[in-house]
Amino acid sequence: MRRLPTLSLGDPLLRAWVYQALALGIVALTVWYLTANTLRNLELRGISTGFEFLWREAGLPIAETPIDYAPTDSYGRALLIGILNTLKVASLGIVLATLLGTMIGIAQLSRNWLLAKISALYVELLRDLPLLLQLLFWYTALQALPAARQAFNLLPGIFLSNRGLMLPALSIDNFQHLAVAIAAIVIVIAAAFFFRRSRFAKRQDGQRRRLWPSVLILAMLLPTAIFWRLGTPFQVDLPTLRGFNFRGGTLVSPEFFALLFGLVTYTAAFIAEIVRAGIIAVSKGQWEAGRALGLHNGLILRKIVMPQSLRLIIPPLTSQYLNLAKNSSLAVAIGYQDIVSIANTTLNQTGQAIEGIAIIMMVYLTISLSISLFMNWYNDHVALKGL
């Protein structure tokens, strides 16, 4: 006759399940108590809860709006503008900080003494100063620039004044916009297809194939076909000074410019150290082997050293991307209307403080988790398999 298994805390597997169930129960009980206590106290004080306020008229002016917005729109649309503004500064900041930090990190290892020392001075100076102080400095510096009539003409069609940075803009209608967007997606997909096919062919016969002629032809043919079919080319709208201000073009506000510049220069200092450490960690024998093959230093760095150092660079680089995204919340200090700024105004007007803070936390949590997931995927993609 088969004996039934006995249940005893002496069994390690059963003990582990019991402890995990107890821990989960304690967490659930704590969350329930805090939520119930908060709702009861809010009810006693006559404070309404819920997210119904998102559909009420905001009456909130917003200076920079990536999509159409008017103060008569709802709080929900105003918060969406804040999220888009946060995503804009975070995404641009990550790209620019990566480029600048990589260049400075490589420059620190340069044989040119002056370039290496200037790069090291940049790193030590920028990373030792509080970011909030730097943002206030850059914003104050931009406010000290001359007025529009005395603006600095940096390049043809580009002006810098205390009203911000004026840039040329492309004037296209919605239909052309859609056609160009579809063409850009087609070009990217085709380039990815040609790249994968080239890599597969190289693995088969060891021959390297030129990829850029196919992509270049495609990139020229598609826009030409769009212009021929639609009949109206792009129109470049140049900013021109009329009276006391510029007309036309597109404006990068002083708040956005100061925030982006401060985030990029500050984060680039940390990324530079990460890149420098990653390059140094690669054995000197790799450099010597490359020189023995007759390769110059730039090609050795690009083809041999950087691919190996990426495995060391990516994990700490992910932390810097997360820091940049979270540090963008300091925008409220210089008046840039990101999600924190707009949510603060919303909760002051509606009294929905808990909901407003919860929305801010969910936005940053979503952005941070998205960055982590992408970087973990990329880290796994470049990792050595089988080790």
Side-chain angles (χ1 to χ4, degrees):
M1 181 177 179
R2 187 177 180 183
R3 298 180 57 186
L4 295 174
T6 58
L7 297 177
S8 170
L9 287 178
D11 184 357
L13 182 61
L14 177 62
R15 193 167 59 244
W17 276 101
V18 170
Y19 287 156
Q20 292 180 59
L22 284 175
L24 185 61
I26 291 172
V27 171
L29 190 63
T30 304
V31 171
W32 172 82
Y33 172 75
L34 292 175
T35 305
N37 190 50
T38 302
L39 292 175
R40 185 170 61 253
N41 283 296
L42 289 174
E43 185 179 0
L44 290 175
R45 288 162 177 77
I47 301 175
S48 61
T49 57
F51 292 91
E52 292 79 9
F53 71 95
L54 293 176
W55 285 266
R56 299 210 306 260
E57 182 178 319
L60 170 65
I62 301 177
E64 295 183 52
T65 57
I67 58 175
D68 293 337
Y69 172 81
T72 54
D73 288 330
S74 64
Y75 281 111
R77 192 170 181 83
L79 290 169
L80 176 61
I81 300 288
I83 294 172
L84 293 177
N85 283 342
T86 296
L87 290 175
K88 182 172 70 173
V89 73
S91 55
L92 278 175
I94 286 173
V95 173
L96 295 176
T98 303
L99 295 175
L100 181 62
T102 302
M103 288 190 293
I104 294 173
I106 295 173
Q108 286 187 89
L109 301 173
S110 172
R111 293 179 180 177
N112 186 313
W113 182 87
L114 182 60
L115 180 62
K117 294 303 176 186
I118 290 176
S119 303
L121 178 64
Y122 170 90
V123 172
E124 295 301 330
L125 184 64
L126 270 294
R127 73 175 180 176
D128 291 341
L129 293 174
L131 176 58
L132 178 60
L133 185 63
Q134 294 186 40
L135 293 179
L136 293 174
F137 172 79
W138 294 123
Y139 183 66
T140 307
L142 286 173
Q143 294 299 308
L145 288 174
R149 301 187 70 171
Q150 291 82 35
F152 296 122
N153 190 358
L154 303 178
L155 289 170
I158 301 177
F159 301 91
L160 181 64
S161 69
N162 59 3
R163 294 178 183 271
L165 183 67
M166 293 298 304
L167 299 171
L170 291 177
S171 178
I172 53 179
D173 59 29
N174 291 333
F175 185 69
Q176 281 187 326
H177 204 166
L178 178 62
V180 171
I182 294 174
I185 293 172
V186 170
I187 291 172
V188 170
I189 293 174
F193 172 75
F194 289 145
F195 179 71
R196 292 183 67 87
R197 196 178 69 168
S198 174
R199 287 183 61 184
F200 179 77
K202 185 180 178 183
R203 287 175 188 164
Q204 298 296 319
D205 56 16
Q207 297 295 320
R208 185 177 180 183
R209 291 165 175 80
R210 290 184 175 180
L211 184 64
W212 64 267
S214 304
V215 177
L216 181 62
I217 292 172
L218 190 63
M220 293 178 65
L221 285 179
L222 273 178
T224 304
I226 291 173
F227 294 153
W228 175 77
R229 184 70 181 86
L230 300 178
T232 306
F234 290 109
Q235 292 183 352
V236 180
D237 186 15
L238 293 174
T240 54
L241 183 63
R242 294 178 185 174
F244 295 99
N245 202 356
F246 288 95
R247 296 287 184 273
T250 184
L251 172 66
V252 180
S253 69
E255 293 81 11
F256 177 77
F257 190 82
L259 176 65
L260 182 64
F261 193 79
L263 286 174
V264 168
T265 52
Y266 178 77
T267 310
F270 291 91
I271 293 177
E273 281 297 275
I274 294 171
V275 171
R276 185 180 69 86
I279 293 174
I280 290 176
V282 177
S283 169
K284 290 183 178 178
Q286 300 291 318
W287 290 91
E288 294 168 356
R291 293 189 186 106
L293 293 173
L295 304 178
H296 58 78
N297 286 340
L299 198 57
I300 296 173
L301 177 68
R302 187 160 54 90
K303 293 291 187 181
I304 299 176
V305 175
M306 282 304 287
Q308 298 181 66
S309 62
L310 272 180
R311 302 180 185 101
L312 303 172
I313 290 173
I314 290 174
L317 191 63
T318 304
S319 299
Q320 293 306 316
Y321 288 170
L322 296 176
N323 287 339
L324 188 146
K326 290 180 288 187
N327 287 336
S328 67
S329 62
L330 293 174
V332 69
I334 56 175
Y336 179 68
Q337 290 176 298
D338 69 335
I339 181 60
V340 177
S341 173
I342 294 177
N344 278 338
T345 306
T346 300
L347 66 90
N348 285 330
Q349 291 181 349
T350 62
Q352 309 285 122
I354 294 178
E355 291 82 354
I357 298 297
I359 290 173
I360 297 173
M361 292 172 65
M362 287 304 299
V363 169
Y364 280 104
L365 185 62
T366 304
I367 294 174
S368 298
L369 288 177
S370 301
I371 293 173
S372 295
L373 286 174
F374 175 77
M375 293 302 290
N376 288 338
W377 168 81
Y378 185 66
N379 189 33
D380 183 65
H381 181 70
V382 300
L384 291 175
K385 306 298 182 186
L387 295 180

